[in-house]
């Protein structure tokens, strides 16, 4: 009986140590939650660390019990080595869980479902990428630590360090593309070129940045497709970012109409349509003629909206309403193709034709002289960069850095010559 108790004592000690580890992990979690009672979201996020914490504390307690209760038994070293490898894995698991908890706490504090979320989206992008880099480093360190627990690999350590230079060069050449993508992903996150939820136009596709990883970026296209692009695409290829500073955008609606198009009536109809829709943010809503060649008059409508999604619907609404307006109220303004036949002039009719032409031109001049000169009722409805305070402020953004800067540049060029 005494011999049986002696042999069973190490296993009993390890069992008691495991129970002590479970109790200690329960106490640690309770203490942490009590100290952070003002953060109820911690209770949900801390669950990811419950299992790795229990496993780590149990393994530490079992190793201590194994060292004190077994002495120099033959089977102790093999079991201790196995427990050490398991402890390294559980500590790595716990460290990854802690990163997930920190990430969740930060993302919970900075919400992105608000109107002005530029700072939150930037922080979200950087935190997610930093967590992924941290997880990758933890996994690499954990695997390296496990391998170094074997004596044979420790003996090879000196040789590996001596040849590290050659190996790194070969590995760098072999994984050049992957490494470039990794560094490009880090550059995207911390230079703030794009953020998660940014609205971009890439390869003539309009979509939203859904995910940024170390090697690729996922763009959620407007029709629910996903466009997967390498990180280097956004560091080497020009693209449009519609929410770089703000989400407000402007868009155009264009019509090619007949020369008899009722411009002022279209402006009044545009104003009525904009006044009735919540899609318009009341910043810009003008109608201009931007071209008048090839038998048509090009009417361009410029409107603004709070974001790109609202702008898309607003442009479609304006296009539909004005098409119906022209069809019902001014059908003569729709595009026409005119064909004119020129009959041969009869002898002796040249003078009469010339007289008619002179008479017609005189009548046109008379009509033009007697007609009242038409002016726009409101320049704000027809001018983008002049005619209102908002337009003048808008024009300043495209007037250059200023006369002082121009003069300094001229002086710098003159001094160099």
């Amino acid at each position: 009986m005494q011999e049986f108790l002696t042999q069973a004592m190490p296993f009993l000690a390890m069992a008691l140590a495991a129970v002590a580890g479970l109790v200690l992990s329960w106490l640690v979690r309770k203490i942490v939650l009590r100290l952070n009672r003002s953060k109820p979201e911690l209770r949900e996020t801390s669950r990811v660390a419950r299992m790795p914490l229990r496993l780590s504390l149990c393994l530490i307690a079992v190793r201590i019990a194994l060292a004190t209760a077994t002495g120099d038994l033959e089977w102790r070293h093999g079991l201790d080595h196995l427990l050490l490898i398991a402890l390294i894995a559980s500590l790595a698991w716990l460290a990854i869980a802690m990163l997930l908890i920190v990430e969740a706490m930060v993302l919970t504090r900075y919400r992105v479902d608000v109107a002005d979320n530029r700072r939150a989206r930037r922080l979200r992008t950087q935190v997610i990428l930093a967590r992924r880099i941290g997880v990758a480093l933890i996994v690499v360190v954990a695997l390296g630590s496990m391998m170094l627990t074997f004596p044979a690999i420790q003996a090879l350590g000196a040789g590996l360090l001596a040849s590290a230079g050659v190996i790194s060069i070969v590995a760098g050449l072999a994984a050049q593309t992957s490494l470039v993508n990794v560094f490009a992903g880090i550059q995207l996150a911390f230079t703030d070129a794009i953020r998660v939820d940014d609205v971009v136009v890439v390869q003539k596709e309009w979509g939203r940045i859904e995910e940024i990883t170390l090697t690729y970026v996922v763009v959620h296209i407007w029709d629910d497709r996903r466009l997967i692009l390498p990180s280097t695409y956004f560091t080497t290829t020009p693209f449009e970012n519609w929410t770089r500073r703000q989400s407000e955008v402007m868009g155009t609606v264009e019509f090619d109409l007949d020369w008899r198009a009722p411009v002022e009536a279209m402006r009044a109809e545009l104003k009525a349509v904009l006044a009735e829709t919540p899609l318009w943010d009341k910043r810009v809503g003008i109608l201009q003629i931007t071209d008048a060649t090839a038998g048509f008059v090009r009417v361009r409508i410029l409107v603004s909206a709070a974001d790109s999604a609202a702008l898309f619907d607003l442009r479609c609404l304006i296009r539909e309403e004005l098409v119906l307006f022209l069809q019902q109220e001014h059908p003569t303004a729709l595009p026409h193709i005119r064909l004119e036949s020129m009959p041969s002039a009869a002898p002796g009719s040249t003078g009469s034709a010339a007289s008619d032409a002179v008479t017609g031109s005189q009548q046109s001049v008379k009509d033009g002289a007697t007609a009242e000169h038409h002016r726009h009722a409101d320049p704000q409805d027809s001018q983008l960069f002049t005619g209102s305070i908002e337009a003048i402020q808008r024009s300043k953004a495209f007037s250059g850095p200023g006369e002082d800067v121009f003069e300094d540049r001229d002086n710098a060029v003159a001094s160099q010559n």
Side-chain angles (χ1 to χ4, degrees), residues 246-260:
Q246 56 187 8
S247 62
E248 293 85 354
V249 288
M250 292 189 295
T252 60
V253 179
E254 293 186 335
F255 296 92
D256 284 338
L257 302 175
D258 192 79
W259 285 72
R260 293 173 291 181

Side-chain angles (χ1 to χ4, degrees), residues 21 66 74 81 93 100 111 116 121 164 255 283-284 346 356 358 376 402:
L66 183 65
E74 296 180 357
H81 188 200
W93 185 10
L100 294 174
R111 299 172 54 189
D116 187 10
R121 289 190 292 109
F255 296 92
R283 289 190 302 122
V284 179
D356 294 342
V358 172
H376 301 305

Side-chain angles (χ1 to χ4, degrees), residues 15-230:
L16 293 176
V19 173
L22 292 175
V23 174
L24 182 60
S25 66
W26 179 80
L27 289 176
V28 169
R29 187 168 185 271
K30 290 295 183 181
I31 292 173
V32 171
L33 292 178
R34 182 172 292 275
L35 293 177
N36 295 272
R37 285 176 295 180
S38 60
K39 300 177 181 179
E41 65 274 7
L42 184 63
R43 181 176 297 275
E44 298 296 329
T45 57
S46 63
R47 291 180 179 177
V48 298
R50 182 185 302 174
M51 287 302 298
L53 178 62
R54 289 176 180 175
L55 183 59
S56 299
L57 292 178
C58 288
L59 289 173
I60 292 173
V62 169
R63 288 199 69 207
I64 294 174
L66 183 65
T68 56
T70 57
D72 293 330
L73 296 178
E74 296 180 357
W75 53 270
R76 171 181 174 270
H77 299 288
L79 181 59
D80 185 63
H81 188 200
L82 183 62
L83 292 175
L84 177 60
I85 294 176
L87 178 60
I88 294 174
S90 63
L91 290 177
W93 185 10
L94 179 61
I96 293 174
M98 295 301 296
L99 288 179
L100 294 174
I101 292 174
V102 172
E103 177 192 20
M105 295 293 293
V106 173
L107 297 183
T108 303
R109 182 177 179 182
Y110 295 93
R111 299 172 54 189
V112 296
D113 56 346
V114 294
D116 187 10
N117 59 2
R118 290 186 296 113
R119 182 184 177 188
R121 289 190 292 109
R122 178 181 61 187
L123 188 64
R124 178 185 180 89
T125 303
Q126 295 176 351
V127 167
I128 291 176
L129 191 59
R131 185 260 302 167
R132 287 173 174 164
I133 295 174
V135 170
L137 292 177
I138 290 173
V139 171
V140 171
V141 171
L143 290 177
S145 301
M146 291 179 185
M147 295 177 65
L148 290 177
T149 59
F150 295 92
I153 296 179
Q154 290 181 355
L156 293 175
L160 291 175
L161 291 175
S163 59
V166 178
I167 294 176
S168 61
I169 294 175
V170 175
L173 292 175
Q176 183 177 7
T177 304
S178 299
L179 292 177
V180 168
N181 277 323
V182 169
F183 288 117
I186 297 174
Q187 179 182 349
L188 287 177
F190 293 98
T191 58
D192 205 23
I194 56 174
R195 312 181 188 99
V196 175
D197 290 333
D198 266 348
V199 178
V200 297
V201 177
V202 291
Q203 296 186 352
K204 299 182 180 180
E205 297 283 359
W206 167 53
R208 177 181 63 86
I209 300 295
E210 185 176 52
E211 185 179 4
I212 300 176
T213 69
L214 287 176
T215 56
Y216 63 88
V217 177
V218 180
V219 181
H220 184 184
I221 306 301
W222 65 273
D223 56 0
D224 282 340
R225 290 177 295 148
R226 263 64 175 183
L227 185 62
I228 312 298
L229 295 169

